[in-house]
Amino acid sequence: MTELIDHRLRRSWTPEAGDAAHLPAKALRWLVQRIGPLGSAAPFAPDSALSVPEPVLDERPKRDLEEVVGAEHVLTAPGERLARAGGLSYLDLIRRRGFGDFPVPDAVVLPENPAEVQSVLEICARHDVGVVPFGGGTSVVGGVAALRGDKASVIALDLTRLDELVSVDPVSRIAVLQAGVTGPEADRLLAGHGFTLGHVPQSYERATIGGFAATRSAGQASSGYGRFEDMVKGVRLATPRGEWKLGVAPASAAGPDLRHLALGSEGTLGVITEVALRVRPVPEVRRYEGFILDGWEKGTDAVRELAQRQVLADVTRLSDVDESEVSLALNDSWKTKALRRYLKARGVHAPCLLIVGWEGASKREVARRRRETTRVLERFDAVRIGAALGESWRRGRFSGPRQRDALMDNGVCVETLETAAYWAELGDLRDAVRAALTATLGNAIIMCHVSHAYETGASLYFTVLTPRDEADPIAQWQRAKAAASEAITGIGTISHHHAVGVDHARYLAAEIGELGVEVLRAAKKAVDPSGILNPGKLV
């Protein structure tokens, strides 16, 4: 179940057909036994029950925007504005259940192409209107919150209509995609040419190419395909001062690589309109398996050995004892009683679940890589559970939002946070975050897994389940997140792949230094002198 709670992917705020999740009575009973009585039921509130202020957008900028994109693509209806009024963090979603208010944009503007995006920014700069770029709306750190800063008006710049595969170079293996293309659509378009991105975060179903680039996204198979930033060979941005294009060769020594200034800029230095990406042939063979290791320390030692011997599987995901327990307790398909008996007979006292997956051009290639990985795992006494478990994880890895919604419907505060550190500090980092969350939340299940591994370190992804505070559920999580962020600071990064947004901005200086923050501010001043781009984010 824990994979089903990672990122939240609902584009609209109304459950779509087939999206509803059911939380079995067994699961609810188990949760109550573990964390105590849950909060009251809190379904999504209808739009009519939410406070939506009247739009504050003068007629002149509205008319100018309509001339560029068409009147039908400048939306001011309450429902349209609500749908782009935030992301999919726990705080965003609990507000959608009627707990507290949130900022709403004054209009939604939907350009059709990069030229229209450029024109929209020039209009907004001329009229001093804030612009919040909006792709799939999957931010969990306040990255698409409709903050105004010092602007009287703010629009959500929805890039949905930028949905084309611009070009494919099969010789160089580079494809150019527009920013509004979603993960599944990108792979569908590329499959026609025999290619794939191989970028599969859990936000894959809804997140967009532009969002992946703007947040330096990491996919579940990044050990094999690389992080998204590793795939980017060029980027095209619209800025208030004109268009900006970066990337002309596979490598360059022509000064600092400014592509990496655009990547991770979160819409504050420009609106990404096109991305040139390295692509790979569609894999002919995929094999996913499950293993159990005895204890977190042995498990992380095994993953470190895999990384440093450069024999990681494309997907390598290690759950700690608590996360593994939740999975074993709530997933009947695993025949958990028999599995527990088997593990006990094998001398496993603290089961930690490891999911590994390989993708390749042939059975021979995948078999070779699998042998290299499993030889290392055997040295750590890993117990092979089989392909059925691995395939079950692969098939269900995008179901998270529905189970997360079901937990929230039943009064559970459920949220995630992530970080990364070098191997030598990884254990201390996990202990510090767990201690901070426990001290703040009290009775809670705090789960952790290694989601991405590197030669020098790894990321840690935490999932928290605790009864929702009826008096102030927003403050409940804000206190917990602040405590966890303080615990992270000085040991690891404040964000491995969720980005900075609003939630992490106060911790950025501790990581990059005050001088680093000034460098970012100087860059923003150069491309966005009036500060219209994504006010209140990053810096």
Side-chain angles (χ1 to χ4, degrees):
M1 185 190 72
T2 50
E3 178 63 37
L4 306 183
I5 315 171
D6 281 356
H7 293 75
R8 312 102 209 120
L9 312 173
R10 189 175 287 162
R11 172 69 179 254
S12 70
W13 303 109
T14 303
E16 299 172 4
D19 270 2
H22 171 66
L23 198 61
K26 171 190 172 182
L28 285 173
R29 290 194 300 270
W30 186 88
L31 279 172
V32 170
Q33 290 171 359
R34 278 292 309 267
I35 62 178
L38 308 181
S40 60
F44 270 87
D47 288 352
S48 59
L50 300 174
S51 175
V52 184
E54 289 296 314
V56 181
L57 183 64
D58 289 343
E59 188 59 33
R60 181 60 186 274
K62 183 173 182 288
R63 186 168 62 249
D64 289 351
L65 291 168
E66 289 174 342
E67 288 179 1
V68 169
V69 302
E72 69 276 20
H73 296 125
V74 178
L75 313 177
T76 57
E80 299 285 4
R81 293 158 55 216
L82 274 172
R84 286 86 164 181
L88 298 179
S89 70
Y90 173 75
L91 296 183
D92 289 323
L93 298 186
I94 200 68
R95 289 179 175 118
R96 297 286 174 177
R97 287 166 160 79
F99 295 91
D101 296 323
F102 45 89
V104 180
D106 296 299
V108 178
V109 179
L110 294 98
E112 186 179 23
N113 53 53
E116 288 190 2
V117 175
Q118 183 62 48
S119 295
V120 167
L121 292 193
E122 292 170 3
I123 291 168
C124 289
R126 188 163 63 245
H127 295 288
D128 203 33
V129 173
V131 178
V132 179
F134 195 95
T138 61
S139 173
V140 293
V141 293
V144 294
L147 302 183
R148 297 170 184 272
D150 61 353
K151 310 305 175 190
S153 305
V154 62
I155 66 165
L157 185 62
D158 191 322
L159 301 170
T160 303
R161 298 175 69 209
L162 274 73
D163 59 358
E164 294 183 4
L165 172 62
V166 178
S167 65
V168 176
D169 174 354
V171 177
S172 306
R173 290 187 176 178
I174 293 175
V176 178
L177 287 151
Q178 290 187 330
V181 178
T182 63
E185 183 64 7
D187 277 328
R188 187 190 69 79
L189 292 168
L190 290 170
H193 300 269
F195 293 111
T196 183
L197 284 179
H199 187 69
V200 189
Q202 205 188 21
S203 59
Y204 171 79
E205 291 178 306
R206 304 295 176 88
T208 61
I209 295 297
F212 292 150
T215 59
R216 295 173 69 187
S217 175
Q220 294 166 345
S222 63
S223 295
Y225 291 93
R227 291 165 59 97
F228 197 76
E229 65 207 62
D230 301 323
M231 304 175 187
V232 175
K233 297 304 173 185
V235 62
R236 180 180 181 182
L237 301 95
T239 83
R241 292 194 58 194
E243 193 168 66
W244 191 13
K245 295 182 179 180
L246 296 164
V248 298
S252 170
D257 188 346
L258 294 184
R259 288 177 302 178
H260 290 283
L261 190 59
L263 296 173
S265 60
E266 302 183 36
T268 64
L269 301 181
V271 177
I272 295 171
T273 57
E274 291 180 357
V275 185
L277 294 159
R278 178 210 70 206
V279 293
R280 296 276 172 80
V282 175
E284 296 291 331
V285 179
R286 292 182 173 90
R287 183 184 178 98
Y288 284 74
E289 295 185 29
F291 290 81
I292 297 288
L293 290 114
D294 192 10
W296 175 253
E297 185 173 348
K298 180 177 280 190
T300 52
D301 284 348
V303 174
R304 175 170 57 84
E305 187 76 1
L306 292 171
Q308 293 177 346
R309 286 183 176 272
Q310 299 183 353
V311 292
L312 282 166
D314 297 313
V315 171
T316 304
R317 175 195 168 97
L318 174 73
S319 296
D320 70 0
V321 172
D322 294 284
E323 186 167 287
S324 300
E325 179 190 0
V326 171
S327 297
L328 292 170
L330 300 184
N331 197 326
D332 287 331
S333 66
W334 294 12
K335 302 177 180 178
T336 55
K337 290 183 180 179
L339 177 57
R340 289 181 188 278
R341 289 195 297 268
Y342 175 65
L343 293 175
K344 186 176 181 180
R346 292 289 301 267
V348 176
H349 303 290
C352 287
L353 173 62
L354 175 68
I355 297 291
V356 286
W358 304 267
E359 302 187 356
S362 67
K363 290 183 178 179
R364 177 176 293 182
E365 176 193 340
V366 168
R368 175 187 58 77
R369 294 186 59 213
R370 178 183 175 275
R371 283 195 302 271
E372 292 172 344
T373 302
T374 55
R375 281 172 186 160
V376 173
L377 293 177
E378 287 168 2
R379 292 175 44 208
F380 290 87
D381 302 317
V383 178
R384 182 175 181 270
I385 304 303
L389 176 56
E391 284 299 315
S392 175
W393 176 86
R394 187 174 71 88
R395 288 192 302 270
R397 59 183 170 173
F398 302 130
S399 301
R402 292 165 282 283
Q403 282 221 359
R404 187 169 187 263
D405 288 341
L407 287 163
M408 292 183 69
D409 289 345
N410 283 279
V412 179
C413 168
V414 49
E415 183 58 303
T416 64
L417 58 95
E418 44 76 47
T419 178
Y422 295 121
W423 287 113
E425 284 76 47
L426 201 68
D428 291 341
L429 178 60
R430 175 176 171 270
D431 292 345
V433 173
R434 285 175 57 85
L437 291 170
T438 300
T440 309
L441 294 171
N443 201 13
I445 300 172
I446 300 168
M447 298 167 276
C448 179
H449 66 260
V450 168
S451 60
H452 305 81
Y454 307 93
E455 185 176 356
T456 55
S459 67
L460 295 179
Y461 199 106
F462 295 87
T463 303
V464 179
L465 302 176
T466 194
R468 187 178 63 242
D469 184 335
E470 295 293 306
D472 194 344
I474 292 176
Q476 176 190 23
W477 179 249
Q478 287 175 330
R479 288 191 299 268
K481 181 63 183 286
S485 298
E486 292 292 341
I488 289 169
T489 302
I491 305 177
T493 177
I494 196 61
S495 178
H496 173 264
H497 58 269
H498 281 174
V500 175
V502 175
D503 294 4
H504 297 148
R506 74 187 72 176
Y507 306 100
L508 186 60
E511 185 161 331
I512 68 172
E514 292 292 347
L515 184 57
V517 173
E518 289 302 314
V519 169
L520 288 178
R521 286 180 177 148
K524 183 170 179 62
K525 188 70 173 176
V527 297
D528 181 25
S530 59
I532 65 167
L533 291 173
N534 218 1
K537 317 298 166 45
L538 191 61
V539 295

